[in-house]
Amino acid sequence: MPLSSLTSIQAVTLSVLVVEDTDCERFYITHLLRQFGWLVESRSNGKAALDYLQQNEVHILVSDWRMPEMSGIELCQIVKNNHLPPFVILLTANNQTADIVLGIEAGADDFICKPFLPELLKVRMLAAMRIVQLQHNLSRNNQLLQQGLAKESALLSTIKQDLFSAAKVQRELLPRSKTLPRGWQLHHEFQPASYLAGDLYQCFDLGDDQLGFYLIDAAGHGVAAALQSVSLAQRLSMERTDWCGLSPQEIVNQVNRELSDPDNTGRFVTLLLGKINTLTGELRLCSAGHPAPLLLTETGCEPLPLDTELPLGIHGAVQYQDQLVTLLPGSRLLLFSDGTYECQHPKFGFFGQARLQTLCSKANSLSDEALLHHLSHALQLWQGGTTQDDISMMLITYPSANYANAALEAL
């Protein structure tokens, strides 16, 4: 192979160290290798070779097997303990199998038996060069990979911190007070599937003996769903929505006309929005593709008989309608997102709305907080301790008749 072909193969200039105690052989081997185009240094014994290796990078080490003070086998054992050791070729006059096994166990990469032809040395060196280049390419790629992983890890840490901060902000949009006007009570449970949730809900005092509430469930979960739900929650705030002057159906119809899908990804939102008269218990409710809430009374637990329309964002011409229900004192209204009953058990499948209703019926005697805790625990057990989808539950409690009568007498 001509020298031009050799140098075209080399991606880097390879350095070679020849260790040979016989002067004439050392000069001969060094001269051949330099003719082949490598950078070659030579030493007459193993200790001198180790001193050189401590200060210089060597890609290929060509060493005689038998040398005084330190043999080629001993030199090979020491060198192979270094980080990124050189490729080691041992020169030996003995080609016995036992010696070859001993050299391989010591870390030698190749053998050349003396005497040898220059062409044999050349092809063995070319083979060694290819292996060294592969090792260096692998090492360089590993370094680049480690650098990339370090950057990705730092970026991931920043993203996680941002998501954690965003989750705290999202929780600030949830109800803060359990006490509502005229003794009404509000309790809720919020379990995002990840840092951020596509669920949001709120209940607030509208004045004039009126409560307003909503529960949003954006399709999916995570950042995209959370942004959509937060945007809709801001739209439904008292600052931007005339809760007192508009009926639930008018609010929902306005929101549906405004809702857009800029990426045309088919994203939609289910919404349950209503107003309650705290004196009479009259509930005016509008549902946009949302599961019907459960009504818990002294006699049991039943879903409200609601007609539901399409979710928001599917068709702007849909006309949503209010539905009227009269709540009785002492009753409780449980609103929930579909993640509450669509969670799956690996063996028994979906939790289901029927099971949720049965569970509420059996636990109807529990207090508000205990009931939500009981439901949350049951859902966690069903999912094996994981949260497969965002889970939101909001329990609105109508005070007992005695409390309501006392409030009326005080007027």
Side-chain angles (χ1 to χ4, degrees):
M1 178 184 291
L3 182 60
S4 59
S5 298
L6 175 63
T7 55
S8 66
I9 295 176
Q10 290 177 291
V12 294
T13 303
L14 299 180
S15 59
V16 183
L17 177 63
V18 177
V19 186
E20 171 63 67
D21 61 311
T22 304
D23 292 341
C24 61
E25 292 190 13
R26 184 171 71 255
F27 294 150
Y28 173 66
I29 295 172
T30 301
H31 176 71
L32 283 178
L33 295 178
R34 285 174 177 165
Q35 278 189 325
F36 297 157
W38 283 288
L39 298 176
V40 185
E41 290 288 336
S42 63
R43 294 295 184 270
S44 59
N45 58 75
K47 290 184 178 180
L50 289 177
D51 292 339
Y52 181 82
L53 288 169
Q54 289 179 355
Q55 303 296 326
N56 301 275
E57 181 183 21
V58 172
H59 300 106
I60 302 175
L61 175 65
V62 180
S63 175
D64 188 22
W65 182 304
R66 304 187 184 281
M67 296 184 293
E69 298 185 13
M70 180 182 294
S71 67
I73 290 292
E74 294 172 327
L75 175 61
C76 181
Q77 290 173 330
I78 296 173
V79 166
K80 285 299 182 178
N81 286 325
N82 296 337
H83 176 65
L84 291 177
F87 188 95
V88 177
I89 300 176
L90 286 180
L91 304 175
T92 177
N94 192 345
N95 62 355
Q96 297 296 318
T97 300
D99 289 336
I100 295 176
V101 171
L102 179 62
I104 292 294
E105 290 177 345
D109 300 295
D110 199 0
F111 293 87
I112 298 179
C113 293
K114 299 179 182 179
F116 54 82
L117 297 174
E119 290 79 5
L120 178 62
L121 176 62
K122 182 176 182 178
V123 296
R124 292 293 181 85
M125 290 294 293
L126 288 174
M129 181 194 71
R130 287 192 290 268
I131 294 175
V132 168
Q133 286 184 341
L134 289 174
Q135 290 175 337
H136 277 259
N137 290 339
L138 179 61
S139 176
R140 184 174 63 254
N141 290 337
N142 283 338
Q143 289 178 354
L144 293 175
L145 178 60
Q146 291 298 325
Q147 293 173 1
L149 289 175
K151 291 180 180 178
E152 184 175 345
S153 177
L155 179 60
L156 181 61
S157 177
T158 300
I159 292 174
K160 285 184 176 180
Q161 184 59 44
D162 289 343
L163 288 174
F164 181 76
S165 300
K168 291 177 64 177
V169 173
Q170 187 179 42
R171 286 184 176 273
E172 290 296 318
L173 300 175
L174 300 177
R176 298 186 180 182
S177 176
K178 299 178 182 179
T179 302
L180 300 172
R182 301 194 178 279
W184 288 67
Q185 292 287 314
L186 171 67
H187 295 81
H188 56 92
E189 184 73 20
F190 184 65
Q191 296 178 13
S194 57
Y195 287 91
L196 299 172
D199 294 357
L200 268 181
Y201 50 84
Q202 187 56 266
C203 180
F204 32 72
D205 180 12
L206 301 178
D208 296 329
D209 303 318
Q210 295 286 323
L211 294 178
F213 64 88
Y214 62 79
L215 196 156
I216 302 166
D217 185 2
H221 52 266
V223 176
L227 289 174
Q228 192 170 28
S229 65
V230 169
S231 175
L232 185 53
Q234 293 297 320
R235 170 62 178 82
L236 293 175
S237 66
M238 294 186 66
E239 291 77 13
R240 296 181 57 187
T241 297
D242 184 11
W243 279 85
C244 296
L246 298 176
S247 66
Q249 68 180 31
E250 290 173 326
I251 296 174
V252 174
N253 284 319
Q254 282 185 359
V255 171
N256 185 53
R257 287 193 295 269
E258 297 170 5
L259 198 63
S260 62
D261 184 12
D263 296 328
N264 197 27
T265 56
R267 302 190 65 85
F268 60 87
V269 179
T270 67
L271 172 66
L272 196 63
L273 186 145
K275 296 169 71 173
I276 299 175
N277 186 309
T278 58
L279 283 178
T280 64
E282 181 184 82
L283 167 64
R284 187 177 293 270
L285 194 61
C286 186
S287 175
H290 203 85
L294 294 175
L295 181 61
L296 287 75
T297 63
E298 293 181 355
T299 59
C301 172
E302 294 292 337
L304 289 182
L306 297 182
D307 296 327
T308 184
E309 292 286 355
L310 294 173
L312 302 178
I314 293 182
H315 199 299
V318 175
Q319 291 298 308
Y320 298 93
Q321 301 295 325
D322 284 347
Q323 298 170 74
L324 297 179
V325 178
T326 299
L327 305 179
L328 298 177
S331 61
R332 296 185 286 187
L333 188 67
L334 179 64
L335 292 78
F336 49 89
S337 61
D338 59 8
T340 305
Y341 60 87
E342 288 186 348
C343 57
Q344 294 193 61
H345 186 279
K347 180 178 179 180
F348 301 109
F350 285 108
F351 190 82
Q353 290 177 279
R355 184 175 280 106
L356 179 64
Q357 181 180 341
T358 301
L359 195 62
C360 289
S361 296
K362 293 181 178 180
N364 199 5
S365 60
L366 296 177
S367 67
D368 294 345
E369 288 188 5
L371 174 61
L372 288 182
H373 178 76
H374 179 67
L375 295 177
S376 177
H377 182 65
L379 292 171
Q380 287 182 354
L381 290 178
W382 192 264
Q383 299 175 91
T386 63
T387 304
Q388 299 170 3
D389 194 5
D390 303 324
I391 294 176
S392 295
M393 292 182 285
M394 186 164 60
L395 188 65
I396 302 175
T397 303
Y398 191 170
S400 65
N402 292 334
Y403 186 99
N405 291 333
L408 286 173
E409 291 175 359
L411 293 176

